[in-house]
PDB file of all heavy atoms in Angstrom:
ATOM      1  N   ARG D 178      27.198 -59.648 -15.985  1.00  0.00           N
ATOM      2  CA  ARG D 178      26.749 -60.410 -14.936  1.00  0.00           C
ATOM      3  C   ARG D 178      27.464 -59.818 -13.598  1.00  0.00           C
ATOM      4  O   ARG D 178      27.499 -60.536 -12.610  1.00  0.00           O
ATOM      5  CB  ARG D 178      27.109 -61.893 -14.942  1.00  0.00           C
ATOM      6  CG  ARG D 178      26.252 -62.605 -16.013  1.00  0.00           C
ATOM      7  CD  ARG D 178      26.424 -64.107 -15.836  1.00  0.00           C
ATOM      8  NE  ARG D 178      25.413 -64.816 -16.595  1.00  0.00           N
ATOM      9  CZ  ARG D 178      25.651 -65.257 -17.781  1.00  0.00           C
ATOM     10  NH1 ARG D 178      26.664 -65.114 -18.425  1.00  0.00           N
ATOM     11  NH2 ARG D 178      24.649 -65.971 -18.496  1.00  0.00           N
ATOM     12  N   LEU D 179      27.745 -58.521 -13.571  1.00  0.00           N
ATOM     13  CA  LEU D 179      28.568 -58.051 -12.471  1.00  0.00           C
ATOM     14  C   LEU D 179      28.022 -58.253 -11.150  1.00  0.00           C
ATOM     15  O   LEU D 179      28.808 -58.446 -10.201  1.00  0.00           O
ATOM     16  CB  LEU D 179      29.013 -56.556 -12.891  1.00  0.00           C
ATOM     17  CG  LEU D 179      30.100 -55.863 -11.994  1.00  0.00           C
ATOM     18  CD1 LEU D 179      31.315 -56.683 -12.038  1.00  0.00           C
ATOM     19  CD2 LEU D 179      30.181 -54.401 -12.418  1.00  0.00           C
ATOM     20  N   ALA D 180      26.686 -58.097 -10.999  1.00  0.00           N
ATOM     21  CA  ALA D 180      26.197 -58.184  -9.728  1.00  0.00           C
ATOM     22  C   ALA D 180      26.439 -59.562  -9.038  1.00  0.00           C
ATOM     23  O   ALA D 180      26.549 -59.577  -7.776  1.00  0.00           O
ATOM     24  CB  ALA D 180      24.490 -58.120  -9.856  1.00  0.00           C
ATOM     25  N   TYR D 181      26.607 -60.581  -9.821  1.00  0.00           N
ATOM     26  CA  TYR D 181      26.925 -61.835  -9.242  1.00  0.00           C
ATOM     27  C   TYR D 181      28.361 -61.909  -9.001  1.00  0.00           C
ATOM     28  O   TYR D 181      28.751 -62.756  -8.047  1.00  0.00           O
ATOM     29  CB  TYR D 181      26.448 -62.996 -10.189  1.00  0.00           C
ATOM     30  CG  TYR D 181      25.106 -62.848 -10.541  1.00  0.00           C
ATOM     31  CD1 TYR D 181      24.581 -62.461 -11.862  1.00  0.00           C
ATOM     32  CD2 TYR D 181      24.159 -63.107  -9.602  1.00  0.00           C
ATOM     33  CE1 TYR D 181      23.312 -62.312 -12.063  1.00  0.00           C
ATOM     34  CE2 TYR D 181      22.739 -62.909  -9.911  1.00  0.00           C
ATOM     35  CZ  TYR D 181      22.431 -62.504 -11.149  1.00  0.00           C
ATOM     36  OH  TYR D 181      21.032 -62.386 -11.427  1.00  0.00           O
ATOM     37  N   ALA D 182      29.352 -61.254  -9.436  1.00  0.00           N
ATOM     38  CA  ALA D 182      30.692 -61.179  -9.048  1.00  0.00           C
ATOM     39  C   ALA D 182      30.661 -60.493  -7.663  1.00  0.00           C
ATOM     40  O   ALA D 182      31.347 -60.799  -6.672  1.00  0.00           O
ATOM     41  CB  ALA D 182      31.595 -60.593 -10.052  1.00  0.00           C
ATOM     42  N   LEU D 183      29.952 -59.251  -7.798  1.00  0.00           N
ATOM     43  CA  LEU D 183      29.932 -58.387  -6.492  1.00  0.00           C
ATOM     44  C   LEU D 183      29.450 -59.076  -5.285  1.00  0.00           C
ATOM     45  O   LEU D 183      29.928 -58.977  -4.056  1.00  0.00           O
ATOM     46  CB  LEU D 183      29.272 -57.146  -6.775  1.00  0.00           C
ATOM     47  CG  LEU D 183      29.775 -56.200  -7.835  1.00  0.00           C
ATOM     48  CD1 LEU D 183      28.802 -54.913  -8.016  1.00  0.00           C
ATOM     49  CD2 LEU D 183      31.218 -55.708  -7.383  1.00  0.00           C
ATOM     50  N   ALA D 184      28.611 -60.038  -5.450  1.00  0.00           N
ATOM     51  CA  ALA D 184      27.931 -60.794  -4.399  1.00  0.00           C
ATOM     52  C   ALA D 184      28.705 -62.085  -3.996  1.00  0.00           C
ATOM     53  O   ALA D 184      28.328 -62.720  -3.049  1.00  0.00           O
ATOM     54  CB  ALA D 184      26.485 -61.160  -4.813  1.00  0.00           C
ATOM     55  N   ALA D 185      29.618 -62.441  -4.797  1.00  0.00           N
ATOM     56  CA  ALA D 185      30.488 -63.672  -4.531  1.00  0.00           C
ATOM     57  C   ALA D 185      31.340 -63.423  -3.151  1.00  0.00           C
ATOM     58  O   ALA D 185      32.123 -62.598  -3.149  1.00  0.00           O
ATOM     59  CB  ALA D 185      31.360 -63.987  -5.697  1.00  0.00           C
ATOM     60  N   PRO D 186      31.170 -64.435  -2.333  1.00  0.00           N
ATOM     61  CA  PRO D 186      32.004 -64.349  -1.017  1.00  0.00           C
ATOM     62  C   PRO D 186      33.417 -64.183  -1.313  1.00  0.00           C
ATOM     63  O   PRO D 186      34.144 -63.381  -0.635  1.00  0.00           O
ATOM     64  CB  PRO D 186      31.610 -65.703  -0.386  1.00  0.00           C
ATOM     65  CG  PRO D 186      30.385 -66.115  -0.870  1.00  0.00           C
ATOM     66  CD  PRO D 186      30.308 -65.588  -2.254  1.00  0.00           C
ATOM     67  N   GLU D 187      33.948 -64.916  -2.304  1.00  0.00           N
ATOM     68  CA  GLU D 187      35.380 -64.831  -2.437  1.00  0.00           C
ATOM     69  C   GLU D 187      35.862 -63.533  -3.230  1.00  0.00           C
ATOM     70  O   GLU D 187      37.096 -63.375  -3.488  1.00  0.00           O
ATOM     71  CB  GLU D 187      35.979 -66.136  -3.142  1.00  0.00           C
ATOM     72  CG  GLU D 187      35.700 -66.169  -4.600  1.00  0.00           C
ATOM     73  CD  GLU D 187      36.425 -67.422  -5.158  1.00  0.00           C
ATOM     74  OE1 GLU D 187      36.039 -68.580  -4.787  1.00  0.00           O
ATOM     75  OE2 GLU D 187      37.298 -67.275  -6.067  1.00  0.00           O
ATOM     76  N   ASN D 188      34.933 -62.692  -3.804  1.00  0.00           N
ATOM     77  CA  ASN D 188      35.261 -61.570  -4.601  1.00  0.00           C
ATOM     78  C   ASN D 188      35.861 -60.405  -3.770  1.00  0.00           C
ATOM     79  O   ASN D 188      35.577 -60.164  -2.644  1.00  0.00           O
ATOM     80  CB  ASN D 188      34.058 -61.065  -5.237  1.00  0.00           C
ATOM     81  CG  ASN D 188      34.298 -59.806  -5.938  1.00  0.00           C
ATOM     82  OD1 ASN D 188      35.127 -59.717  -6.993  1.00  0.00           O
ATOM     83  ND2 ASN D 188      33.678 -58.673  -5.614  1.00  0.00           N
ATOM     84  N   ASP D 189      37.029 -59.846  -4.302  1.00  0.00           N
ATOM     85  CA  ASP D 189      37.612 -58.654  -3.652  1.00  0.00           C
ATOM     86  C   ASP D 189      37.752 -57.609  -4.685  1.00  0.00           C
ATOM     87  O   ASP D 189      38.540 -56.552  -4.416  1.00  0.00           O
ATOM     88  CB  ASP D 189      38.975 -59.118  -3.065  1.00  0.00           C
ATOM     89  CG  ASP D 189      40.015 -59.471  -4.121  1.00  0.00           C
ATOM     90  OD1 ASP D 189      39.633 -59.655  -5.184  1.00  0.00           O
ATOM     91  OD2 ASP D 189      41.102 -59.780  -3.689  1.00  0.00           O
ATOM     92  N   VAL D 190      37.141 -57.644  -5.816  1.00  0.00           N
ATOM     93  CA  VAL D 190      37.016 -56.464  -6.714  1.00  0.00           C
ATOM     94  C   VAL D 190      35.776 -55.567  -6.656  1.00  0.00           C
ATOM     95  O   VAL D 190      34.746 -56.159  -6.942  1.00  0.00           O
ATOM     96  CB  VAL D 190      37.240 -57.004  -8.258  1.00  0.00           C
ATOM     97  CG1 VAL D 190      37.058 -55.860  -9.230  1.00  0.00           C
ATOM     98  CG2 VAL D 190      38.517 -57.733  -8.464  1.00  0.00           C
TER      99      VAL D 190
END
Side-chain angles (χ1 to χ4, degrees):
Chain D
R178 291 192 165 95
L179 191 56
Y181 304 110
L183 295 177
E187 77 173 63
N188 174 61
D189 63 352
V190 175

